[in-house]
Amino acid sequence: MIRYYRLEDRKLQELPEMQAPCWVNISPPFNIASIEALAEELELDLDYLTDPLDIDERTRFEFSDEGKLIILNTPVLNDHSTEERTLYITVPMGLIWTPDYFITISSYENSVLQSFLGQKVKDFNPMDPSLFVLQILEQNVYAYLRCLKDINVRRNVVEQEVYESSKNRDLKKLLNLEKSLVYFVTELTTINQLMSKIQRTNFLGIRGNEEKEDLFEDILIDNRQALEMAHIYSNILGGTMEALASMISNNLNEVMKRLTVITIVLMVPTLVASFYGMNVSLPMMHHPHAFWALMGVAVLISIILVLFFRSKKLF
């Protein structure tokens, strides 16, 4: 779906058709023929519009005589999340600009672009490409921070459930959260490298503009903080998984230890009954109270064993 927007009286207005200058937003569902026609009309390399649709596309930037491209990975909630699949995934988002048009394209609906479409970001202007790119980078960092906080809250909830039940389902939830954090750490590291390279090469052409340079510095700091937070949460979750594995192993050892002690205690009456179940002459076989005497001795020995194991804190 291709939609066209323009800022008029500081409000974002949707246009019925493409009119220069404007913001072109391409979102699912896609019509490949329309994308090819758009690339031809704008005289853009078709790869600029198709590369961001590849879920495995890496974060990068490039430029040509026709325009500039930044591919940025952004976090989205996995619609197909199950016990076997990760909670959050990262998907590419393409930012393309020419002298008259700014184009955004993504294979998933994401909170970054929705914040602009819903006019939740102050003082944005799609016709100022450098500022708009910086604001998108800023909102992208905020999206990662929101997802990281959500993952941490979910981790605390699942952690309490695991302490009480230790079910495989809860352990799988923790594993899926850990996968999401691994994706976030990888992508935030790549984005940090991308922004450093953009700043070094002056790709946005903002060198000398103090306001935009300060904004870019703030975004770099926020991104590094998000990366550090992802590392911390990942380490905490990794430590939690190891601690839970040790707890489960320790609980299993305790159960086996108690079962072993119970088996030893019950072995004495069983042993006595086995001896006096043989079809041979045995002591006290004609005594009228032989059964109760033997059972009393067996119970007494069992009680002594129980007291012994309790003194050793094994029972």
Side-chain angles (χ1 to χ4, degrees), residues 6-76:
R6 181 185 293 167
L7 203 63
E8 297 178 354
D9 297 328
R10 304 187 68 177
K11 290 185 178 180
L12 195 65
Q13 302 291 339
E14 185 172 356
L15 304 176
E17 59 184 13
M18 187 167 65
Q19 302 172 8
C22 70
W23 169 23
V24 182
N25 183 51
I26 307 174
S27 60
F30 296 106
N31 186 321
I32 300 300
S34 298
I35 293 177
E36 291 176 349
L38 179 65
E40 184 177 353
E41 183 176 353
L42 298 179
E43 298 181 349
L44 276 175
D45 188 343
L46 182 60
D47 290 342
Y48 273 30
L49 298 177
T50 56
D51 284 353
L53 302 181
D54 183 0
I55 193 67
D56 296 319
E57 188 64 37
R58 60 187 176 85
T59 296
R60 59 185 175 84
F61 71 86
E62 62 180 81
F63 62 92
S64 64
D65 294 336
E66 292 80 17
K68 295 182 177 181
L69 164 70
I70 293 178
I71 296 180
L72 186 69
N73 276 285
T74 187
V76 297

Side-chain angles (χ1 to χ4, degrees), residues 205-239:
I206 62 174
R207 189 165 295 162
N209 188 318
E210 185 176 351
E211 183 178 351
K212 291 182 180 180
E213 285 186 333
D214 289 343
L215 176 60
F216 202 1
E217 286 290 345
D218 291 340
I219 296 170
L220 279 168
I221 293 172
D222 289 340
N223 191 81
R224 294 190 187 106
Q225 290 177 342
L227 178 58
E228 186 64 25
M229 187 182 297
H231 276 298
I232 292 172
Y233 288 166
S234 182
N235 292 336
I236 292 174
L237 191 52

Side-chain angles (χ1 to χ4, degrees), residues 168-180:
N168 289 339
R169 174 174 54 83
D170 297 326
L171 293 175
K172 287 180 180 178
K173 288 181 181 178
L174 285 178
L175 181 60
N176 288 340
L177 293 178
E178 190 173 29
K179 289 180 183 177
S180 297

